[in-house]
Amino acid sequence: MTKKIMLSAVQPSNRLTIGNYVGAVMNWTKMQKDYDCIFFAVDMHVITNSRGSEDLKRQTYETIATYLACGLDPEAATLFVQSHVKEHAELSWILTCHATMGEVSRMTQFKDKSSKHGEMIPMGLFAYPVLMAADILLYQTNLVPVGADQKQHVELTRDLAMRMNNHYTPGWNKEGATTKPLFALPDPWIPKEGGKILSLQDPTKKMSKSDADPKATLFLNDTDKEIEKKVKSAVTDSGSEIKASDEKPGILNLLTLQSVLTGRTIAEVEAAYVGKQYGHLKVDTAGICVDTIRPVREKTAQLMGDLTYLDQVLKRGAERARERAARTLKAVSAKIGFIPTT
Ligand code: TYM
């Protein structure tokens, strides 16, 4: 039986965070055996919000090294860098011509990010979700495991796929249809717990790679000391009861981290702290984060010492990805009426 296709990606806009791990990469590793997997680093997405630089190059290698360090299998999964597969840009343009300003303007991430640019909003920032749709649709993806913040983008992708299927392959969804749709319809997969890990300094907002306050974010290559310091100084409320409640987002965030990193339910973790203080919760959570991050940090550092190996992985991944992407793009181009290249 052919496996369903699972695809996801991270922006190499900075070091990866424990939020990226819990919301995304950890789940990819858990599900990788059951799916035909495609994972990549979306360097073209990064330049929608910042100028390219040597940092981008290092961070892109580091993202791939982190994927491997977290346990993704480069033999089984297709691992590559977005800019190595030109079909992403090409399909993105075609989708841009089928998306509407209205639907793209509704993306909350665009609203958040564009507000930081004043009058000078880069066009790429607006088009960002359409490039993401191209990433997904090029590979006939069935499942997209992401954190909660990406759900809206996957839904837009699905709407675009449906629209194009209806237009170019009418009847594709009728009972007993023999017409093959242009695109598979992707479903988002969001973890029940950990889909939104919060900032350690402001638990009303998401933990982010680009937070100006370094104490707000646990990075996957922080030292043991840094992790301990950050978790122990995590902002909580002024109470003393350890309770999983939306009114205690700082506490809930630490309980959630413990739960997803140890495989226990939040209720089980909560039960272990009856009669204990915030300090106990912080010390234990810090220890669990150290135990999770240390092997990832060490393995990533080791892989970053061997760029030749990483280049080999990326070359093979891009070859595999190109072959698949070209197939979809060829079918789309034919429907649109582009003369095939000979
Ligand atoms: P990015 O780079 O912002 O985040 C990568 C993944 O990590 C998840 N995530 C979180 N999960 C839980 N808690 C958090 N605090 C947290 N922060 C981030 C994100 O939801 C995401 O799954 N647009 C995407 C990258 C992308 C993509 C794609 C993803 C481009 N093309 C195609 C899937 C499929 C992004 O910026 O992710």
Side-chain angles (χ1 to χ4, degrees), residues 29-331:
T29 62
K30 284 187 182 162
M31 297 193 279
Q32 64 178 332
K33 282 207 173 59
D34 301 325
Y35 288 86
D36 175 4
C37 294
I38 301 172
F39 301 118
F40 47 114
V42 286
D43 51 350
M44 283 155 63
H45 274 91
V46 175
I47 61 167
T48 59
N49 209 25
S50 70
R51 300 265 160 80
S53 67
E54 274 301 307
D55 283 351
L56 176 58
K57 194 188 268 177
R58 186 182 35 75
Q59 284 156 199
T60 306
Y61 273 123
E62 214 162 78
T63 298
I64 298 293
T66 308
Y67 287 178
L68 296 170
C70 290
L72 291 182
D73 174 2
E75 297 303 322
T78 298
L79 297 184
F80 65 100
V81 171
Q82 185 187 34
S83 63
H84 290 180
V85 183
K86 307 297 178 209
E87 284 79 1
H88 289 247
E90 216 172 317
L91 182 63
S92 176
W93 176 250
I94 294 172
L95 296 181
T96 300
C97 298
H98 291 76
T100 67
M101 299 284 287
E103 66 190 344
V104 180
S105 314
R106 283 197 288 277
M107 297 296 111
T108 50
Q109 205 160 72
F110 169 70
K111 290 184 201 162
D112 290 349
K113 289 196 177 169
S114 60
S115 64
K116 294 177 194 131
H117 289 270
E119 294 285 295
M120 305 288 278
I121 302 169
M123 258 177 73
L125 201 57
F126 186 66
Y128 176 110
V130 184
L131 177 59
M132 178 162 163
D135 295 342
I136 296 169
L137 298 181
L138 262 183
Y139 299 95
Q140 304 295 337
T141 304
N142 304 110
L143 198 70
V144 188
V146 280
D149 62 331
Q150 297 302 317
K151 186 166 180 256
Q152 198 184 26
H153 290 159
V154 182
E155 285 166 355
L156 172 71
T157 302
R158 202 182 155 88
D159 289 347
L160 279 172
M162 195 105 77
R163 183 175 313 151
M164 293 195 51
N165 286 349
N166 289 341
H167 189 76
Y168 293 107
T169 49
W172 65 282
N173 55 351
K174 296 254 153 51
E175 228 180 87
T178 50
T179 313
K180 201 172 161 293
L182 210 44
F183 299 119
L185 297 186
D187 282 313
W189 185 95
I190 318 273
K192 277 200 192 72
E193 308 292 353
K196 187 177 176 185
I197 297 297
L198 304 173
S199 153
L200 295 177
Q201 287 301 307
D202 177 0
T204 61
K205 61 178 201 189
K206 190 189 79 158
M207 183 184 283
S208 157
K209 284 187 216 100
S210 52
D211 201 307
D213 181 352
K215 292 207 307 273
T217 305
L218 282 184
F219 292 103
L220 293 183
N221 63 355
D222 277 342
T223 62
D224 292 358
K225 272 221 163 66
E226 285 168 329
I227 300 164
E228 277 162 10
K229 230 169 131 184
K230 288 185 197 182
V231 178
K232 286 179 189 165
S233 61
V235 169
T236 48
D237 57 274
S238 56
S240 60
E241 196 188 1
I242 298 177
K243 238 180 113 208
S245 150
D246 290 338
E247 274 141 49
K248 292 172 165 281
I251 293 296
L252 182 56
N253 199 33
L254 299 181
L255 291 170
T256 303
L257 274 173
Q258 277 209 30
S259 158
V260 290
L261 295 178
T262 62
R264 289 176 298 160
T265 63
I266 292 197
E268 282 165 352
V269 180
E270 187 187 24
Y273 288 99
V274 176
K276 294 197 178 162
Q277 285 154 18
Y278 286 0
H280 295 119
L281 175 69
K282 288 184 178 179
V283 169
D284 293 348
T285 309
I288 289 164
C289 290
V290 164
D291 290 345
T292 303
I293 291 176
R294 187 191 294 134
V296 174
R297 178 184 68 227
E298 289 176 354
K299 183 78 189 161
T300 304
Q302 186 200 331
L303 288 161
M304 285 299 284
D306 191 356
L307 293 190
T308 311
Y309 169 71
L310 291 179
D311 279 331
Q312 273 167 15
V313 169
L314 293 181
K315 182 167 185 282
R316 202 176 34 183
E319 281 164 3
R320 275 151 66 172
R322 249 178 245 131
E323 204 183 297
R324 302 173 74 156
R327 243 179 283 146
T328 299
L329 194 62
K330 194 171 163 204

